[in-house]
Amino acid sequence: MTRIRIQFPMSRTELLPFDPQAEFSVVERRLPHWSQAGAVAFITWRTWDSMPRVVVDRWIAERENWLRDHGIDPESDWKPLIDRLPPEQQRELQRIMAERWDQELDHCHGRCVLRDPQAARIVGESLRHFDGDRYSMSDFVVMPNHVHVLASFCDHDGMLKQCDSWKHYTAVRLNKLVGRRGRFWEVDAFDRLVRDADEFEHYRRYIADNPRRARLRPGEYLHYARS
């Protein structure tokens, strides 16, 4: 296994790619979530109003059709089956699942509360708060209606628990900021365990370039990258 050698000041630990030969867990919610102690995860979550229903339905149908065309039942735990496909087919599905979805997010549907620098700081401070303790944060970007995070967690349960904690804490503060109650974030998040060093660097660039792709101006987003 190739190690991604990035030393963190507090924990002095290394970020690792996903190792299919080592122990990992899969938690079924609305989406399957894979986790592995120490492995880097690329995570995206979004505001509840960020994606029109028609876009979501079209995206799900396209993904399910692709899986069926490649002999995979979309109702099954299909993620481990994807890793058995040739690399070019894996990249093709990744484009369908991630890139097209993120393109829609970058259209900035919804109220886009996080465009406000004060709101973005609430999320950014929460992401940094337990860095080096509960997790090791590499990069993140707070966009007007979604968040991308690249981080590793110390145990199998750490990723989902921490994502729930981030979303609950920030939702309370953000709703108070804008004078409203109720749902702020979409329930589930998208996540992928990083497979190798090249993919890790790809996600770092993706996060850094996200504001430019969405044509945002300075002050309309918050980007963090550990040097």
Side-chain angles (χ1 to χ4, degrees), residues 120-130 135 140 173 222:
R121 282 196 300 271
I122 289 173
V123 178
E125 289 169 1
S126 177
L127 294 173
R128 293 287 307 278
H129 188 70
F130 288 108
Y135 48 85
F140 66 77
R173 295 195 60 193
L222 178 63

Side-chain angles (χ1 to χ4, degrees), residues 18-109:
F18 171 63
D19 180 3
Q21 304 304 316
E23 182 181 358
F24 62 91
S25 64
V26 180
V27 176
E28 295 289 345
R29 291 187 176 178
R30 293 171 63 186
L31 297 169
H33 299 274
W34 285 36
S35 60
Q36 184 176 74
V40 187
F42 176 69
I43 309 165
T44 300
W45 69 90
R46 60 187 178 91
T47 58
W48 72 273
D49 62 350
S50 60
M51 196 67 70
R53 185 70 248 175
V54 63
V55 174
V56 176
D57 291 344
R58 184 171 63 241
W59 180 86
I60 291 173
E62 186 174 2
R63 182 191 68 188
E64 291 182 348
N65 288 337
W66 190 97
L67 291 171
R68 292 190 185 97
D69 289 344
H70 291 79
I72 298 174
D73 181 2
E75 301 298 326
S76 69
D77 179 17
W78 46 264
K79 279 194 174 182
L81 303 179
I82 296 301
D83 285 328
R84 301 176 188 174
L85 294 176
E88 61 273 15
Q89 292 183 2
Q90 294 185 40
R91 288 192 291 269
E92 179 185 352
L93 179 58
Q94 182 67 14
R95 286 194 296 273
I96 293 172
M97 289 185 60
E99 294 179 9
R100 296 182 189 180
W101 181 266
D102 288 341
Q103 286 171 4
E104 288 293 338
L105 285 178
D106 290 343
H107 289 162
C108 295
H109 302 294

Side-chain angles (χ1 to χ4, degrees), residues 106-108 115 143-144 209-218 220-221:
D106 290 343
H107 289 162
C108 295
R115 195 188 299 268
M143 300 288 285
D209 289 345
N210 201 180
R212 177 189 57 79
R213 291 193 305 272
R215 299 181 180 179
L216 299 181
R217 295 171 295 182
E220 294 184 323
Y221 62 91

Side-chain angles (χ1 to χ4, degrees), residues 74-225:
E75 301 298 326
S76 69
D77 179 17
W78 46 264
K79 279 194 174 182
L81 303 179
I82 296 301
D83 285 328
R84 301 176 188 174
L85 294 176
E88 61 273 15
Q89 292 183 2
Q90 294 185 40
R91 288 192 291 269
E92 179 185 352
L93 179 58
Q94 182 67 14
R95 286 194 296 273
I96 293 172
M97 289 185 60
E99 294 179 9
R100 296 182 189 180
W101 181 266
D102 288 341
Q103 286 171 4
E104 288 293 338
L105 285 178
D106 290 343
H107 289 162
C108 295
H109 302 294
R111 189 175 175 184
C112 291
V113 171
L114 303 176
R115 195 188 299 268
D116 179 353
Q118 186 176 353
R121 282 196 300 271
I122 289 173
V123 178
E125 289 169 1
S126 177
L127 294 173
R128 293 287 307 278
H129 188 70
F130 288 108
D131 184 17
D133 180 9
R134 297 181 183 177
Y135 48 85
S136 292
M137 180 66 64
S138 173
D139 302 71
F140 66 77
V141 63
V142 182
M143 300 288 285
N145 63 358
H146 66 282
V147 179
H148 293 305
V149 172
L150 195 58
S152 67
F153 302 85
C154 60
D155 56 49
H156 295 315
D157 298 329
M159 181 181 69
L160 289 179
K161 287 181 178 178
Q162 188 58 54
C163 285
D164 288 344
S165 176
W166 281 329
K167 291 163 72 175
H168 175 75
Y169 174 77
T170 57
V172 172
R173 295 195 60 193
L174 290 165
N175 275 335
K176 183 177 180 180
L177 177 68
V178 299
R180 64 180 295 271
R181 293 184 177 182
R183 185 178 180 185
F184 188 89
W185 300 109
E186 183 59 39
V187 174
D188 234 338
F190 288 90
D191 52 77
R192 174 176 172 81
L193 293 179
V194 175
R195 266 50 177 181
D196 54 39
D198 289 340
E199 191 169 272
F200 176 74
E201 292 301 330
H202 163 77
Y203 283 126
R204 294 200 81 189
R205 292 191 300 271
Y206 187 92
I207 287 173
D209 289 345
N210 201 180
R212 177 189 57 79
R213 291 193 305 272
R215 299 181 180 179
L216 299 181
R217 295 171 295 182
E220 294 184 323
Y221 62 91
L222 178 63
H223 175 233
Y224 168 81

